[in-house]
C-alpha cells in the first residue's frame, strides 16, 4: 500500500492529532531545552538560556543547602506515604465495587466517587479550610462538644500530611479506580466458575483469580506512579502552605517556586528541578526493572 493514499484516506484522524502533538511539543518537550539554564548563569534582561557557563556551581549550592534537604526530606516522606495509601486504596475500592451486583447501586457509587476528581484544587482547599476552621469549622465544632479546645489544623505542622493525603483520597480514589474496574470487567468469568467448582470461596477467588488477572495493570500503574512520585500536587501544597506549617509542607516544588519566581534565582531553581527530574527517571527505571524481574510485567 502506498503511503500517500493511506494518509489521504485517514487525514481526518491525523488532523485530530495536531493539537495534542503541539501541546506535548510546546509544554512538555520544549521546556527540556531550558534545563541548560542549570549549567549557565542567568542575568535579568539577558538571554533566556543564560549568559555564562558555570558548570555544576548551582548543583553544589543546593547540595550544601540545608533548606533544600529539609524540603527534599519532606517530599520523600510525603510522597512515600501518599503513594502507599493512594495507590492501594483504589485497588481495594475497585475490588469491593466489583462485588456489588446491583447495577443501579453500583452506578450511584461510581458517580459519587468520580465526581470529586472534577472539583478544582482551589475549591478543594477552600472546602478544607472551611471545614477545619478553628472558629466556624464543623470539625472543631464537633470536638468542642467534648470539651476539646479548637485546633488550628491548617497551621499545625503535624496535621499537614494527614490533611493532604486525606484530601487526595477523597478527590482521586474513585477516579483512579476506573482503570482497575475496566481491568476487572475483562476477567474471564469461566475462571471464577472453575475456581468455584474447586471449592474456592469469594476471598479465595479474589486472591487466586482476580488479583493475578489484574496484576499487569497494577504493575504498569505502579511504574508510572513511581515516575511522578516526587511530583506532588504543587497547587494544593502551595495553597495549604503557611509559615507555621512550613517545616512539613515545604517540598521540592515549593522550594523551586520560591527560589525561582520569588527570589529570581532561575538558574538555581532549574538545577533543583532537574535534580528532581533525574530522581524520577531513576525511580521509573528501577520500578520497571523490579517489576519485570518479580512479576514479568513492565513498560519496556
Amino acid at each position: 500500500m502506498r503511503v500517500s493514499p493511506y494518509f489521504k484516506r485517514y487525514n481526518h484522524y491525523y488532523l485530530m492529532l495536531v493539537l495534542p502533538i503541539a501541546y506535548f511539543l510546546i509544554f512538555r518537550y520544549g521546556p527540556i531545552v531550558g534545563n541548560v539554564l542549570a549549567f549557565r548563569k542567568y542575568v535579568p534582561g539577558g538571554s533566556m538560556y543564560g549568559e555564562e557557563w558555570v558548570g555544576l556551581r548551582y548543583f553544589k549550592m543546593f547540595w550544601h543547602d540545608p533548606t533544600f534537604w529539609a524540603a527534599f526530606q519532606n517530599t520523600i516522606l510525603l510522597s512515600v506515604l501518599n503513594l502507599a495509601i493512594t495507590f492501594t486504596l483504589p485497588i481495594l475500592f475497585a475490588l469491593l465495587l466489583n462485588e456489588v451486583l446491583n447495577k443501579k447501586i453500583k452506578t450511584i457509587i461510581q458517580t459519587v466517587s468520580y465526581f470529586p476528581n472534577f472539583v478544582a484544587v482551589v475549591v478543594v482547599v477552600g472546602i478544607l479550610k472551611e471545614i477545619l476552621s478553628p472558629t466556624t469549622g464543623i470539625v472543631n465544632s464537633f470536638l468542642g462538644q467534648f470539651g476539646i479546645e479548637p485546633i488550628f489544623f491548617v497551621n499545625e505542622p503535624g496535621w499537614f500530611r494527614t490533611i493532604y493525603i486525606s484530601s487526595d483520597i477523597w478527590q482521586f480514589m474513585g477516579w483512579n479506580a476506573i482503570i482497575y474496574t475496566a481491568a476487572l470487567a475483562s476477567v474471564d468469568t469461566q475462571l471464577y466458575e472453575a475456581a468455584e467448582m474447586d471449592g474456592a470461596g469469594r476471598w479465595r477467588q479474589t486472591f487466586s483469580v482476580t488479583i493475578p488477572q489484574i496484576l499487569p495493570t497494577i504493575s504498569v500503574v505502579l511504574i508510572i506512579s513511581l515516575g511522578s512520585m516526587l511530583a506532588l500536587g504543587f497547587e494544593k501544597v502551595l495553597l495549604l502552605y503557611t509559615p507555621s506549617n512550613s517545616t512539613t509542607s515545604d517540598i521540592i516544588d515549593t522550594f523551586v517556586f520560591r527560589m525561582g519566581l520569588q527570589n529570581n534565582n532561575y538558574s538555581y531553581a532549574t538545577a533543583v528541578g532537574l535534580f528532581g527530574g533525574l530522581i524520577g527517571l531513576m525511580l521509573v527505571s528501577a520500578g520497571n526493572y523490579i517489576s519485570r524481574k518479580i512479576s514479568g510485567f513492565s513498560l519496556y
Side-chain angles (χ1 to χ4, degrees), residues 24 28 39-40 48 52 77 81 92 104 117 127 130 147 164 177 183 189 193 196 201 230 234 240 248 254 258 278:
F24 278 98
R28 297 295 181 180
F39 306 95
R40 298 177 64 87
M48 64 183 296
E52 177 188 353
L77 184 56
L81 291 173
L92 297 176
K104 290 185 178 179
N117 179 74
I127 294 172
E130 286 296 325
Y164 180 90
T189 56
E193 295 173 0
E196 188 175 357
L230 298 184
F234 166 71
L240 289 171
T248 55
T254 56
R258 190 167 61 254
L278 292 175

Side-chain angles (χ1 to χ4, degrees), residues 43-239:
V43 178
S47 171
M48 64 183 296
Y49 297 112
E51 297 292 325
E52 177 188 353
W53 183 267
V54 295
L56 300 176
R57 176 198 294 180
Y58 296 107
F59 291 90
K60 294 177 181 178
M61 284 176 61
F62 75 71
W63 194 261
H64 297 92
D65 187 351
T67 307
F68 164 76
W69 288 112
F72 182 80
Q73 182 180 355
N74 289 335
T75 305
I76 292 295
L77 184 56
L78 183 59
S79 298
V80 170
L81 291 173
N82 192 50
L83 179 63
I85 297 173
T86 59
F87 175 77
T88 306
L89 286 181
I91 300 174
L92 297 176
F93 179 74
L95 291 173
L96 292 173
L97 190 63
N98 191 52
E99 298 298 320
V100 179
L101 301 179
N102 190 303
K103 291 186 178 180
K104 290 185 178 179
I105 296 177
K106 190 174 184 178
T107 302
I108 293 173
I109 295 174
Q110 288 177 317
T111 304
V112 172
S113 63
Y114 297 166
F115 175 75
N117 179 74
F118 302 100
V119 180
V121 175
V122 65
V123 176
V124 172
V125 174
I127 294 172
L128 284 173
K129 289 183 176 180
E130 286 296 325
I131 293 175
L132 301 175
S133 171
T135 54
T136 60
I138 298 175
V139 175
N140 275 300
S141 297
F142 176 77
L143 295 177
Q145 301 295 323
F146 300 94
I148 301 176
E149 293 294 324
I151 302 174
F152 290 77
F153 288 101
V154 177
N155 286 340
E156 289 288 339
W159 282 100
F160 174 78
R161 296 187 182 104
T162 302
I163 294 172
Y164 180 90
I165 295 173
S166 300
S167 63
D168 261 19
I169 293 172
W170 174 78
Q171 191 172 9
F172 301 118
M173 184 183 71
W175 183 258
N176 291 339
I178 290 178
I179 189 170
Y180 302 113
T181 304
L184 288 169
S186 62
V187 177
D188 190 351
T189 56
Q190 292 182 354
L191 295 175
Y192 292 109
E193 295 173 0
E196 188 175 357
M197 290 179 64
D198 290 337
R202 295 303 300 174
W203 281 105
R204 186 64 180 175
Q205 291 177 32
T206 299
F207 287 102
S208 300
V209 178
T210 306
I211 294 180
Q213 289 297 308
I214 66 172
L215 189 58
T217 303
I218 295 175
S219 300
V220 171
V221 174
L222 178 59
I223 294 169
I224 296 174
S225 299
L226 286 173
S228 59
M229 191 173 78
L230 298 184
L232 293 165
F234 166 71
E235 297 88 352
K236 185 181 292 184
V237 174
L238 187 64
L239 291 169

